[in-house]
Amino acid sequence: MAHPLMHTYGRLPVAFSHGRGAWLWDGDGNAYLDALSGIAVCGLGHAHPRVTEALREQAGQLLHTSNLYQVPLQEELAAALCRRAGMDGVFFCNSGAEANEAAIKLARLHGSRRGIASPRILVMDGAFHGRTLGTLAATGNDRAREGFGPLPEGFERIPYDDLGAVDEAAGREDIVAVLVEPIQGEGGIREPHPGYLEGLRARCDDNGWLLMLDEIQTGNGRTGAWLACQHEHVVPDVVTLAKGLGNGVPIGACLARGEAADTLGPGSHGSTFGGNPLAASAALAVIRALDEDDLIARAGRLGTRMRDGFHHALDDEPAVKAIRGRGLMLGIELDRPCTELVQQALDQGLLINVTAQSVVRLLPPLVLTDEDADRIVEQVSGLIQGLVHDTRY
Ligand SMILES: *Cc1c(COP(=O)(O)O)cnc(C)c1O
């Protein structure tokens, strides 16, 4: 059908009419197992009763008043998030990119207060931090940046998972922060070596830099801990959340600790919609459901189950270079481009993603049943085997 949407997405030829848990249905009644969750957004799956109920209730009361007034639900959510993340303050916005923009502005203000006229932030090759000009400048993907210059300055790009590169940068007086994903998502589910985050923490402490973790994809329980950095017992100064926070209701958050939490003051930053009663009620419902059903621990167990399943099915395939990830954030890297698997999976009633050309990315909802987890492993393994043994290639 002709439509006036800008062509910013290569969309698949399917539209969904409703969902339940890990399943979606199209208008013709065909069912699809969702191993992507709207890109790590619907961690509780679709139409979760608790979220639906909270939204219904709140929609009948109050949607929005602006941040010119007290917003008790926003305060309650901030306290719940700080408790879980070990942070002291939260700024709410509506997306991941905005959460990172807040972090970038916070770091710059932090630097400028220390007399650094042109503060710089260390960012990583292969990173993804968003599509606004600032977060695009921080993103380590030349193709995403191409044609959008001049981009904001103030970012120093170094290789990911390389503490030596951090040490080299440490000589520079104008660095104020490190912005990094604990596991790179769009970059191909890249996990750094154990000790990397801890090493970053130590270097930030030594140099007076802020450690700023982009947990927009890894956060909200997806990896089997509330934050991925908690697996390594590393506490950042700033952490950003979005995606899974509202289970589909747009909400982002920039959390900070200690001195960093007091950096942004009245007039220095803002958002009209950020943390409005509707979005806050959704996020509170998400947190309650994660807790009550012990879904974060479940994500960890399911992830182990799926990884074991993939190893069992694919370890003898030379074309499979790596099976990576933590909890329900899994990547299978092939030795060749494999974007056609997305359509092939769709034809079989399975929603998956391919990122960085050759990495099958799976981000299923945390409410996934064991049977559906096994089904994803079986189908994805079959698709990969079909691709690598197809004599046409
Ligand atoms: C998705 C994502 C973003 C951007 O979030 P938007 O809501 O699309 O702006 C930033 N960082 C990471 C790690 C992400 O996965």
Side-chain angles (χ1 to χ4, degrees):
M1 205 190 355
H3 60 66
L5 296 171
M6 288 192 192
H7 300 289
T8 42
Y9 306 100
R11 294 177 200 266
L12 292 159
V14 64
F16 304 106
S17 59
H18 63 286
R20 194 94 187 134
W23 288 83
L24 284 164
W25 284 267
D26 67 17
D28 298 327
N30 300 307
Y32 300 81
L33 178 53
D34 185 359
L36 194 59
S37 315
I39 320 183
V41 168
C42 305
L44 296 180
H46 303 282
H48 191 282
R50 227 177 214 297
V51 179
T52 306
E53 185 51 37
L55 286 172
R56 273 209 181 104
E57 181 74 15
Q58 192 55 44
Q61 301 273 334
L62 192 62
L63 295 181
H64 178 87
T65 56
S66 90
N67 287 308
L68 298 176
Y69 308 99
Q70 324 268 315
V71 183
L73 284 169
Q74 189 184 124
E75 293 168 16
E76 195 187 329
L77 176 60
L81 291 175
C82 282
R83 222 168 22 247
R84 279 167 180 77
M87 296 286 130
D88 299 317
V90 187
F91 173 81
F92 286 108
C93 49
N94 316 287
S95 67
E98 281 177 84
N100 284 336
E101 286 283 344
I104 292 164
K105 284 181 70 176
L106 191 159
R108 287 186 173 189
L109 202 55
H110 168 86
S112 120
R113 295 227 173 111
R114 291 173 176 219
I116 299 172
S118 193
R120 301 176 73 78
I121 299 172
L122 286 182
V123 293
M124 307 300 157
D125 285 337
F128 182 81
H129 296 300
R131 300 283 195 166
T132 60
L133 288 174
T135 58
L136 194 56
T139 286
N141 175 338
D142 293 338
R143 266 182 50 217
R145 286 200 306 271
E146 200 180 295
F148 293 111
L151 292 175
E153 295 171 22
F155 299 97
E156 186 79 24
R157 191 163 292 106
I158 58 171
Y160 187 57
D161 195 18
D162 182 349
L163 291 171
V166 180
D167 288 333
E168 269 172 49
R172 300 191 51 152
E173 304 256 298
D174 53 359
I175 306 284
V176 293
V178 179
L179 175 63
V180 60
E181 295 155 272
I183 300 173
Q184 287 188 338
E186 307 298 309
I189 316 289
R190 295 198 182 274
E191 281 178 287
H193 288 89
Y196 177 61
L197 288 185
E198 212 179 320
L200 286 179
R201 178 70 273 175
R203 284 155 181 82
C204 285
D205 290 341
D206 288 348
N207 292 288
W209 304 337
L210 300 176
L211 178 60
M212 309 205 294
L213 296 183
D214 179 344
E215 293 239 19
I216 289 164
Q217 195 162 146
T218 51
N220 303 297
R222 174 148 297 277
T223 69
W226 174 253
L227 297 174
C229 62
Q230 290 169 338
H231 292 295
E232 313 286 325
H233 308 287
V234 167
V235 185
D237 302 293
V238 175
V239 62
T240 51
L241 297 175
K243 293 204 162 91
L245 187 54
N247 210 56
V249 176
I251 180 168
C254 174
L255 288 70
R257 184 171 63 97
E259 202 191 318
D262 291 323
T263 306
L264 295 170
S268 62
H269 198 46
S271 164
T272 299
F273 294 128
N276 82 11
L278 188 77
S281 70
L284 282 165
V286 168
I287 292 174
R288 288 197 191 107
L290 288 172
D291 281 356
E292 276 178 16
D293 299 335
D294 207 15
L295 290 175
I296 297 181
R298 176 159 181 76
R301 286 196 304 274
L302 275 174
T304 305
R305 181 185 182 104
M306 291 178 72
R307 271 179 74 134
D308 289 350
F310 280 123
H311 279 296
H312 185 73
L314 296 172
D315 271 354
D316 295 335
E317 293 291 350
V320 174
K321 286 173 69 181
I323 296 164
R324 295 193 288 259
R326 196 145 197 175
L328 292 178
M329 181 172 179
L330 297 170
I332 302 162
E333 181 174 11
L334 305 189
D335 65 355
R336 65 198 75 188
C338 59
T339 44
E340 68 258 47
L341 290 181
V342 174
Q343 177 68 51
Q344 291 174 14
L346 183 71
D347 293 341
Q348 297 184 11
L350 177 68
L351 307 182
I352 63 166
N353 176 250
V354 168
T355 189
Q357 302 297 323
S358 58
V359 181
V360 176
R361 177 169 59 157
L362 303 173
L363 301 161
L366 283 57
V367 295
L368 195 70
T369 63
D370 288 0
E371 297 71 48
D372 286 343
D374 295 346
R375 184 197 278 252
I376 293 170
V377 171
E378 198 178 308
Q379 272 185 279
V380 169
S381 300
L383 285 162
I384 289 172
Q385 279 155 347
L387 178 83
V388 301
H389 295 299
D390 189 327
T391 46
R392 284 178 301 164
Y393 293 96

